[in-house]
């Protein structure tokens, strides 16, 4: 009798669970139906996980399909809708004309897990963001951003980079570490007051885990974490994200400790020195957001942003230049005609190198390293093209659609520097070139990135010929979509232009 009762109870519980699950799914489907009516069109989301499965299956294919729904469309990150701005005009209307309403940042669980809501890049629009961004811009300018001193640092590093790239001349190698180290050394000189040699194993390891975290955070591992963040309490591949972030932040804390011992209040040497002095200065202000942990995370933000995006753009650039040897040769000839082989380039040379300067911009357009931009969030209820958009709605810029729009580009689907040249062969920048975003959240490091991209690429093309190794597999041009869009692993062969052209 007791056994029969137990079986009955188990059956009842199982039936209740099944019915509860069916009710939950039906309720979610009804919620989706009514939610979709309030937002711009888009692919039909799955219950609970939204449109995430499409992006996991085919990331870039899914990104390219978004604009088919019109100037505004919607994707669903789990149960949360995100509105995609698919045209230049709608982006200007939202991010510039209504900038204060569209300049927030959403709480993204995987980012919140490792930053604790601190720093600059992912802090929401408000007092903290204003204080930290204003201080960062002021301090970066004090230490050379936009001035000749940073240009000189890039040129010095460019010399080391060319030497490193030619170290194994004629032998196939992966250029990722050399490029990442060279780019990182510029922001490191501003934040930490020092650069790191290319054979520094500790720094090479830090660059490796930095790259790994950019990949993991934007990969299915990171997307699943954002859907079910309570898994942070359990083992799994997501724990690598936190482990890597902890190691990077510990590295910065060690730098802070060393800076504290050498700090000269009358002569700050770098960003960390300046931040420590600002903490002391702001101690009496109740609304101050300056404290040591914010310093550590802000330094990490600048370090990450100043390392990965520019080096990734140059890596894509090498692929485009090797795929288009005629462009590479034309750039080299133009550079040599203006600079010769020995004179270092300068930012003032941009006007004298219109084709090369156009090529640098075309690399950025085709690299398209952040296909949906850096995510924004509405800071208050607002309207856009007839839609009522609630406060806290995620907003994304479809750079993929803007960079391939036939209305803006002569050759939208191919790598062609003529996209940035007028009928007289002079450089011009179309309004649709918005690689650094627009409005209040425009990229903090735009000036530095522009300087590095131009000077590094000119320095490399002046002295080196790049080619594919014989019979090497060509990387898939969709790349790998993490927080940024990376090229697949590839190798190159470098040959000195000095040896080749002076014989």
């Amino acid at each position: 009798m007791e056994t029969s009762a137990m079986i009955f109870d188990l059956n009842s519980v199982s039936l209740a669970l099944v019915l509860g699950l069916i009710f939950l799914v039906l309720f979610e489907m009804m919620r989706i139906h009514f939610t979709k009516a309030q937002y711009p069109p888009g692919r039909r989301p799955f219950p609970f996980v939204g449109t995430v499965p499409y992006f996991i299956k085919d990331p870039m294919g899914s990104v390219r399909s978004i604009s088919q729904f019109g100037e505004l469309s919607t994707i669903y990150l789990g149960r949360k809708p995100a509105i995609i701005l698919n045209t230049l005009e709608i982006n200007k209307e939202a991010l510039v004309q209504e900038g204060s309403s569209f300049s927030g940042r959403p709480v993204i669980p995987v980012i919140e897990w490792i930053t604790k809501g601190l720093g600059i890049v992912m802090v929401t629009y408000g007092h903290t963001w204003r204080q930290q961004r204003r201080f960062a811009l002021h301090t970066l300018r004090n230490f050379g951003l936009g001035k000749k001193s940073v240009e000189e640092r890039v040129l010095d590093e460019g010399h080391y980079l060319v030497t490193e790239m030619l170290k194994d001349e004629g032998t196939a190698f992966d250029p990722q570490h050399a490029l990442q180290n060279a780019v990182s050394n510029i922001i490191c000189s501003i934040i930490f007051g020092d650069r790191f040699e290319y054979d520094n194993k500790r720094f090479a390891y830090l660059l490796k885990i930095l790259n790994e975290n950019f990949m993991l955070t934007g990969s299915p591992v990171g997307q699943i974490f954002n859907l079910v963040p309570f898994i942070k309490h359990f083992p799994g591949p997501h724990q690598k994200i936190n482990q890597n972030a902890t190691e990077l932040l510990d590295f910065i804390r060690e730098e802070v400790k060393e800076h504290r011992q050498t700090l000269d209040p009358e002569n700050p040497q770098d960003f960390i020195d300046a931040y420590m002095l600002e903490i002391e200065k702001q101690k009496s202000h109740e609304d101050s957001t300056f404290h040591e942990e914010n310093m550590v995370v802000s330094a990490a933000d600048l370090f990450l942003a100043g390392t990965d995006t520019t080096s990734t753009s140059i890596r894509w650039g090498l692929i485009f230049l090797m795929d288009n040897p005629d462009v590479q040769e034309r750039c080299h000839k133009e550079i040599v005609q203006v600079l010769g082989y020995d004179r270092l380039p300068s930012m003032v040379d941009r006007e004298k190198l219109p084709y090369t300067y156009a090529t640098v911009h075309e690399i950025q357009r085709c690299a398209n390293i952040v296909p949906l931009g850096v995510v924004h969030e509405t800071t208050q209820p607002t309207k856009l093209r007839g839609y009522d958009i609630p406060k806290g709605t995620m907003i994304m810029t479809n750079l993929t659609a803007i960079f391939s729009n036939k209305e803006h580009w002569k050759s939208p689907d191919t790598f062609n520097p003529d996209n940035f040249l007028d009928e007289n062969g002079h450089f011009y920048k179309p309004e649709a070139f918005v690689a650094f975003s627009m409005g209040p959240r425009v990229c903090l490091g735009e000036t530095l990135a522009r300087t590095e991209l131009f000077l590094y690429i000119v320095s490399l093309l002046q002295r080196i010929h790049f080619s594919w190794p014989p019979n090497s597999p060509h990387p898939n041009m969709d790349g790998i979509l993490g927080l940024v869009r990376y090229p697949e692993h590839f190798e190159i062969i470098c040959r000195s232009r000095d040896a080749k052209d002076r014989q």
Side-chain angles (χ1 to χ4, degrees), residues 235-269:
H238 57 280
Q239 292 295 344
K240 186 66 175 170
I241 297 173
N242 194 42
Q243 178 188 326
N244 287 346
T246 299
E247 290 190 60
L248 177 60
L249 294 175
D250 284 346
F251 166 78
I252 295 173
R253 289 188 185 99
E254 287 178 27
E255 289 285 336
V256 170
K257 185 178 178 181
E258 292 177 13
H259 277 64
R260 187 170 285 112
Q261 294 170 355
T262 60
L263 177 64
D264 177 359
E266 301 300 321
N267 188 29
Q269 297 296 306

Side-chain angles (χ1 to χ4, degrees), residues 151 334 338-339 343-354 356-357 454-455 458:
E151 188 175 322
E334 182 182 68
V338 174
L339 304 177
R343 180 167 85 75
L344 296 175
S346 167
M347 293 302 284
V348 299
D349 291 320
R350 287 173 293 182
E351 289 185 10
K352 303 170 190 173
L353 300 170
T356 305
Y357 196 37
F454 179 72
L455 295 180
V458 171

Side-chain angles (χ1 to χ4, degrees), residues 100-234:
S100 61
S101 298
F102 287 88
S103 291
R105 289 279 195 245
V107 174
I108 298 175
V110 69
I111 303 294
E112 183 75 11
W113 188 32
I114 58 182
T115 67
K116 308 297 188 291
L118 300 174
I120 306 169
V121 176
M122 291 307 295
V123 176
T124 196
Y125 190 72
H127 174 66
T128 299
W129 172 76
R130 288 190 191 92
Q131 275 203 339
Q132 296 300 317
R133 183 181 173 95
R134 189 183 302 120
F135 172 80
L137 270 174
H138 175 72
T139 305
L140 291 176
R141 285 171 183 154
N142 282 349
F143 290 110
L145 191 66
K147 299 178 182 177
K148 196 74 175 175
S149 55
V150 158
E151 188 175 322
E152 289 168 356
R153 292 184 202 185
V154 176
L155 290 174
D156 286 344
E157 195 62 46
H159 171 74
Y160 292 120
L161 176 60
V162 168
T163 302
E164 182 70 13
M165 298 284 272
L166 289 172
K167 190 168 65 176
D168 297 311
E169 183 175 356
T171 303
F173 75 101
D174 181 350
Q176 179 173 350
H177 172 68
L179 292 171
Q180 204 172 19
N181 207 136
V183 171
S184 188
N185 271 343
I186 306 305
I187 195 66
C188 283
S189 69
I190 296 172
I191 300 173
F192 309 126
D194 202 1
R195 66 177 294 277
F196 297 87
E197 297 293 342
Y198 294 87
D199 59 357
N200 184 315
K201 291 183 179 179
R202 180 170 176 245
F203 192 64
Y205 174 72
L206 281 173
L207 293 177
K208 175 179 172 291
I209 64 173
L210 180 156
N211 186 64
E212 189 173 61
N213 256 24
F214 265 82
M215 297 275 283
L216 284 171
T217 304
S219 74
V221 170
Q223 293 181 47
I224 291 169
F225 185 98
N226 289 331
L227 292 175
V228 282
F230 64 81
I231 64 173
K232 68 182 178 183
H233 301 294
F234 301 97

Side-chain angles (χ1 to χ4, degrees), residues 365-378:
R365 184 186 75 87
C366 293
N368 185 24
I369 63 169
V370 191
L372 291 177
V374 179
V375 63
H376 289 226
E377 183 181 75
T378 50

Side-chain angles (χ1 to χ4, degrees), residues 20 52 98 111 142 189 196 201 223 228 324 332 354 382 387 394 402 431 442 457 485:
V52 170
E98 300 293 332
I111 303 294
N142 282 349
S189 69
F196 297 87
K201 291 183 179 179
Q223 293 181 47
V228 282
N324 297 272
H332 172 71
T382 187
Y387 289 98
M394 285 190 281
I402 294 171
E431 191 181 14
V442 67
I457 290 173
R485 188 172 77 99

Side-chain angles (χ1 to χ4, degrees), residues 169 329 332 341 463 465-466 495-503:
E169 183 175 356
E329 287 305 309
H332 172 71
Y341 285 90
R463 301 291 299 278
H465 175 268
F466 299 97
R495 296 193 185 278
S496 171
R497 290 283 190 175
D498 295 330
K500 178 182 176 183
D501 293 347
R502 290 181 178 181
Q503 289 177 349

